[in-house]
């Protein structure tokens, strides 16, 4: 697959999975051997942790948007810098709705093979946001 195609796969995944909460998209855009290198210690490294997180996130937050600031790609790697914005309108991680608007800054790296994401790493400031709710 071309570098441009790989970039579009990662952008689509971000818009459909993170922004829209479409967990079914994992079957289409993540490889069978997908590995989430950002999974918490002792957690499964397949897509299940990400699916669980995004399902809970969309229950606790509304008006979710993903703004992609930069997309860089080389060979089979795509990296992006994004901001996820949302409003805390439901219970999340034991915290009742506050109505606060939040912004999470994320940098991620994905590896793709045959048009599917095989590996994922990300760094974000999410825990600081949760503490501020």
């Amino acid at each position: 697959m071309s570098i441009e195609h790989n970039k579009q796969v990662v952008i689509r995944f971000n818009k459909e999975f993170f922004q829209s909460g479409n967990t079914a998209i994992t079957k289409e855009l993540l490889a069978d051997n997908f590995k989430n290198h950002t999974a918490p210690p002792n957690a499964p490294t397949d897509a299940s942790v990400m699916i669980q997180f995004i399902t809970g996130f969309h229950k606790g937050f509304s008006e979710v948007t993903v703004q992609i600031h930069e997309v860089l790609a080389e060979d089979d790697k795509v990296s992006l810098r994004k901001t996820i914005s949302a409003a805390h309108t439901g219970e999340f991680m034991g915290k009742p709705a506050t109505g606060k608007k939040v912004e999470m800054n994320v940098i991620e790296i994905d590896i793709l093979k045959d048009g599917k994401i095989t590996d994922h790493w990300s760094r974000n400031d999410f825990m600081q946001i949760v503490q501020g709710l």
Side-chain angles (χ1 to χ4, degrees):
M1 297 288 164
S2 72
I3 289 174
E4 191 57 38
H5 182 267
N6 286 346
K7 288 165 68 173
Q8 292 307 312
V9 168
V10 171
I11 291 168
R12 181 176 172 214
F13 183 72
N14 272 273
K15 292 294 185 174
E16 292 194 35
F17 183 73
F18 290 106
Q19 182 169 294
S20 298
N22 176 8
T23 58
I25 199 70
T26 59
K27 302 267 188 245
E28 182 182 343
L29 299 183
L30 301 183
D32 291 339
N33 64 339
F34 172 80
K35 185 169 184 180
N36 176 10
H37 297 273
T38 309
N42 303 315
T45 58
D46 61 5
S48 63
V49 171
M50 290 172 64
I51 291 169
Q52 182 180 5
F53 171 80
I54 209 66
T55 300
F57 184 80
H58 276 268
K59 286 181 182 173
F61 292 87
S62 61
E63 303 171 36
V64 179
T65 60
V66 175
Q67 180 181 11
I68 297 175
H69 305 292
E70 290 181 271
V71 181
L72 305 170
E74 184 175 312
D75 299 325
D76 61 353
K77 291 184 182 94
V78 176
S79 178
L80 59 82
R81 184 175 61 85
K82 65 186 176 187
T83 302
I84 300 174
S85 303
H88 183 219
T89 55
E91 184 179 330
F92 184 75
M93 295 180 77
K95 296 186 181 270
T98 62
K100 289 183 179 180
K101 303 271 185 180
V102 299
E103 285 191 348
M104 176 173 46
N105 298 298
V106 183
I107 295 176
E108 76 178 59
I109 300 170
D110 297 297
I111 296 177
L112 292 90
K113 183 175 182 180
D114 299 325
K116 293 191 174 197
I117 301 169
T118 61
D119 295 86
H120 170 84
W121 292 264
S122 92
R123 295 296 254 173
N124 61 64
D125 55 5
F126 183 69
M127 288 313 295
Q128 293 167 331
I129 291 165
V130 170
Q131 291 171 350
L133 293 177

